[in-house]
């Protein structure tokens, strides 16, 4: 095909949007709603996930070393700990700090501590947070095998609970997203079918004058793609506006933030490009494929 | 060139629309196909356009064996012919110019050629003033002239017309057939289905009568145009000018080229029979 022919077909596609404004608008709306439904559930899921992970990151591993470990060995241990794959942050708790904490925790213990001389009997300790809470038990086991370690502990129930929670949330969200996507596909295919049906005679005439299927489909492809692209853009701006206001409202609630890990809500700026890209791509692709697929049964003449 | 060899068509509903039909139309011919309603004329046209397939027999059009024609070769085949239908089949969202130019765009013709060729065929059918009109803004006769311009823009070997005058005024019918005759003079084969026996009598030529899915008559008769206007025709034309329905002459107006008067009578009888029986 020559460039001129290609240009003609692309122009036809854009012109057709204008000529069939009503149907194009219907397709636009259906695509917009579908993208918003699926897009917002995906974003909701991603945030739930991030929040649960955030909570998990507060899950700490407490490590106590043999009280007789030399300071140099303690430092080396801290360094090694930090180097581990799944370790995120490491807090060193010196013998002295541990002693202070203990004193404070035992409220009436001031007297007891009077009998004790110095704090050398206290172990050096580390509090570590993990990158992935799911494998915290493996990490604990790994640390337990290291030199100088007297005891390692985490709260496996927390990790277990969060892991389970995440699994359930993923399943539910996955099901909802799949259901919404399916409903969207049906809506989109019905709309594009109606739009193509209105022009079936046109398609038939084109077939009679010897147009190939791809020649007939090309304008439909362009038309669907452009409509879908605009729907994607619309969905993006709506999502942006809504997301930002929800984000602001939630993050203003300091208490909620701490309690439910709302601090881990993803700021829109971090994902803006991905969201835009996903919406535009999905819109254009679904729009184009939807209208092309719908032409199929009218082409067989 | 069109050739049917022992062709039968049975629709899935069980109707035998064509029954062992054999027919050959040579390049450059002009043939009328007549017959009562439901006789199978449109079925034959659909067959020639490869809209349907023969149940048995061989169909050859412009050198393509349609029985063996692969699906993806259909567009290539259809580009060798033009079609004109009773219902015009113009694309409503395109102007006259675009409707016609579309045929050339389909074959990826050079833009320069399209710009020259399309106005030329539009002027051939006398619609220069309507170049940028939409089909909705045209009369039936004008629409059909657009359809004819579209059928010939790509210089096809064959033009197939299924009742091209079916939706337009009788007076205009003559113009449409004149137009097709003119195209035929340039060498294009034309096959035209019609119900209008006045037209057939007027123009003459090869007449193929299909009745109940079979060819019952296939002869060349001469039309009134071939000779000086006889009295009846004069009266006919005058009546037409006066706005009256053209009256069918009682007998064949033509000077018979063959001696088979009886056969011609038979056709006329068949034609008149179709007139009465045909629910148009
Ligand atoms: N798609 C179809 N399915 C089943 N039967 C059909 C179909 N099309 C036509 N027929 C039948 O085949 C027979 C021939 O029909 P066809 O359309 O060829 O007639 P025709 O000669 O063109 O009639 P008319 O002059 O009224 O246009 C008729 O009995 C008709 O009912
Ligand atoms: Mg018919």
């Amino acid at each position: 095909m020559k460039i001129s022919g290609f240009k003609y077909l692309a122009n036809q596609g854009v012109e057709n949007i204008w000529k069939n404004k009503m149907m194009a608008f219907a397709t636009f709306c259906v695509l917009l709603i579908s993208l918003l439904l699926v897009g917002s559930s995906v974003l909701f899921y991603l945030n739930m996930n991030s929040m649960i992970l955030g909570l998990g990151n507060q899950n700490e591993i407490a490590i106590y070393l043999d009280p007789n470990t030399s300071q140099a060995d303690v430092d080396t241990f801290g360094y090694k700990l930090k180097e581990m794959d799944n370790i995120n942050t490491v807090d060193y708790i010196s013998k002295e700090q541990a002693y202070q904490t203990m004193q404070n925790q035992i409220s009436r213990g001031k007297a007891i501590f009077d009998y004790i001389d110095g704090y050398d009997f206290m172990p050096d300790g580390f509090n570590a947070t993990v990158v992935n809470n799911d494998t915290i038990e493996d990490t604990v086991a790994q640390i337990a095998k290291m030199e100088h370690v007297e005891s390692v502990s985490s709260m496996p129930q927390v990790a277990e609970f969060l892991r389970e929670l995440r699994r359930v949330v993923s399943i539910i969200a996955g099901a909802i997203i799949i259901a919404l996507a399916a409903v969207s596909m049906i809506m989109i295919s019905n709309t594009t079918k109606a739009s193509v049906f209105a022009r079936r005679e046109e398609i038939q005439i084109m077939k009679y004058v010897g147009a190939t299927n791809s020649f007939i489909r090309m304008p439909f492809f362009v038309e669907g793609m452009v409509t879908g692209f605009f729907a994607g853009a619309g969905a993006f701006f709506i999502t942006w506006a809504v997301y930002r206001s929800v984000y602001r409202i939630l993050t203003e609630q300091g208490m909620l933030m701490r309690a439910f890990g709302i601090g881990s809500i993803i700021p829109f700026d971090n994902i803006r490009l991905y969201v835009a890209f996903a919406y535009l791509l999905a819109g254009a692709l679904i729009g184009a494929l939807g209208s092309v697929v719908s032409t199929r049964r009218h082409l067989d003449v | 060139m069109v050739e049917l060899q022992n062709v039968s068509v049975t629709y899935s509903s069980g109707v035998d629309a064509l029954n062992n039909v054999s027919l050959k139309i040579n390049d450059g011919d002009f043939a009328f196909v007549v017959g009562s309603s439901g006789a199978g004329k449109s079925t034959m046209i659909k067959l020639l356009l490869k809209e349907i397939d023969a149940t048995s027999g061989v169909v050859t059009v412009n050198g393509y064996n349609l029985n063996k024609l692969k699906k993806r070769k259909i567009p290539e085949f259809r580009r060798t012919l033009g079609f004109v239908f009773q219902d015009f089949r113009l694309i409503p969202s395109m102007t006259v110019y675009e409707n016609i130019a579309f045929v050339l765009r389909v074959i990826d013709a050079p833009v320069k050629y399209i710009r020259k060729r399309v106005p030329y065929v539009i002027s051939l059918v006398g619609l220069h003033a309507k170049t940028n009109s939409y089909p909705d803004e045209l009369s039936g006769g004008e629409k059909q002239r657009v359809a004819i311009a579209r059928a010939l823009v790509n210089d096809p070997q064959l033009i197939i017309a299924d009742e091209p005058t079916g939706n337009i005024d009788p007076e205009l019918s003559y113009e449409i057939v004149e137009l097709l005759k003119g195209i035929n003079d340039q060498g294009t084969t034309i096959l035209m289905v019609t119900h209008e026996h006045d037209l057939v009598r007027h123009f003459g030529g090869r007449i193929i009568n299909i009745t109940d899915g079979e060819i019952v008559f296939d002869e060349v008769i001469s039309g009134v145009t071939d000779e000086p206007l006889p009295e009846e025709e004069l009266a006919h034309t005058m009546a037409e000018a006066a706005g009256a329905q053209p009256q069918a002459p009682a007998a064949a107006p033509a000077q018979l080229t063959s001696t088979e008067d009886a056969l011609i009578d038979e056709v006329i009888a068949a034609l008149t029979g179709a007139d009465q029986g045909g629910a148009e």
Side-chain angles (χ1 to χ4, degrees), chain A residues 201-257:
Chain A
E201 274 182 30
E202 194 175 317
I203 294 175
Q204 207 182 15
I205 295 166
M206 291 175 176
K207 286 289 290 196
Y208 273 125
V209 299
T212 55
N213 289 352
S214 48
F215 189 93
I216 296 172
R217 276 176 168 164
M218 180 69 182
F220 281 97
F221 184 87
V222 172
E223 187 182 336
M225 198 171 73
V226 173
T227 311
F229 187 85
F230 279 109
F236 172 72
F237 286 115
I238 293 173
T239 305
W240 189 359
V242 174
Y243 195 105
R244 275 173 39 138
S245 28
V246 171
Y247 182 79
R248 200 165 301 143
I249 292 168
L250 288 178
T251 48
E252 273 163 11
Q253 312 295 322
M255 195 193 73
L256 273 177
M257 279 177 72

Side-chain angles (χ1 to χ4, degrees), chain A residues 18-273:
Chain A
W18 186 243
K19 283 177 178 167
N20 306 281
K21 316 185 223 355
M22 290 309 290
M23 286 321 288
F25 184 66
T27 310
F28 170 83
C29 291
V30 167
L31 269 170
L32 180 74
I33 292 166
S34 304
L35 288 172
L36 280 176
L37 282 175
V38 176
S40 51
S41 12
V42 169
L43 286 175
F44 190 76
Y45 166 68
L46 288 177
N47 276 297
M48 287 290 281
N49 210 22
S50 163
M51 277 159 65
I52 298 171
L53 283 175
L55 288 175
N57 285 341
Q58 293 168 19
N59 195 16
E60 289 185 331
I61 302 177
I63 304 150
Y64 297 102
L65 300 185
D66 182 348
N68 299 321
T69 314
S70 70
Q71 190 58 43
D73 284 346
V74 171
D75 292 345
T76 315
F77 181 86
Y79 180 73
K80 275 192 199 156
L81 194 60
K82 218 169 195 135
E83 288 292 283
M84 285 175 72
D85 277 344
N86 197 29
I87 295 296
N88 188 15
T89 61
V90 173
D91 273 336
Y92 171 55
I93 296 144
S94 65
K95 289 178 193 305
E96 187 179 357
Q97 281 169 314
Y99 180 74
Q100 296 292 337
T101 313
M102 182 125 69
Q103 258 187 340
N104 293 340
Q105 277 173 357
I106 305 173
S107 52
R108 289 193 298 132
K110 207 61 178 131
I112 304 172
F113 287 99
D114 286 344
Y115 295 98
I116 299 167
D117 182 24
Y119 37 76
D120 269 348
F121 70 97
M122 289 297 290
D124 285 283
F126 291 90
N127 276 347
T129 60
V130 288
V131 178
N132 182 357
N133 192 40
D134 290 346
T135 55
I136 194 165
E137 281 158 69
D138 296 342
T139 312
V140 166
Q142 240 175 308
I143 295 171
K145 277 187 227 141
M146 289 164 75
E147 234 182 316
H148 309 299
V149 173
E150 193 172 81
S151 75
V152 199
S153 65
S154 68
M155 287 199 283
Q157 319 87 284
V158 175
E160 178 62 28
F161 170 74
L162 291 178
R163 189 161 48 221
E164 190 61 19
L165 182 65
R166 220 146 61 82
R167 207 173 64 88
V168 171
V169 168
S170 296
I171 290 171
I172 293 173
I176 291 174
I177 291 169
I178 288 170
L180 285 176
V183 169
S184 303
M185 277 325 242
I186 294 170
M187 286 199 305
I188 293 164
S189 106
N190 277 332
T191 318
T192 50
K193 256 188 214 154
S195 157
V196 170
F197 186 77
R199 278 144 73 191
R200 69 194 180 287
E201 274 182 30
E202 194 175 317
I203 294 175
Q204 207 182 15
I205 295 166
M206 291 175 176
K207 286 289 290 196
Y208 273 125
V209 299
T212 55
N213 289 352
S214 48
F215 189 93
I216 296 172
R217 276 176 168 164
M218 180 69 182
F220 281 97
F221 184 87
V222 172
E223 187 182 336
M225 198 171 73
V226 173
T227 311
F229 187 85
F230 279 109
F236 172 72
F237 286 115
I238 293 173
T239 305
W240 189 359
V242 174
Y243 195 105
R244 275 173 39 138
S245 28
V246 171
Y247 182 79
R248 200 165 301 143
I249 292 168
L250 288 178
T251 48
E252 273 163 11
Q253 312 295 322
M255 195 193 73
L256 273 177
M257 279 177 72
R258 259 171 279 116
F260 298 112
I262 281 175
S264 316
I265 287 188
I266 309 163
F268 195 74
D269 289 347
N270 291 7
I271 48 169
R272 191 176 47 213
L273 276 181

Side-chain angles (χ1 to χ4, degrees), chain B residues 6-24:
Chain B
N6 308 102
V7 171
S8 298
V9 172
T10 306
Y11 283 111
S12 51
S13 60
V15 177
D16 288 317
L18 286 180
N19 215 335
N20 201 28
V21 169
S22 294
L23 171 72
K24 185 167 180 182

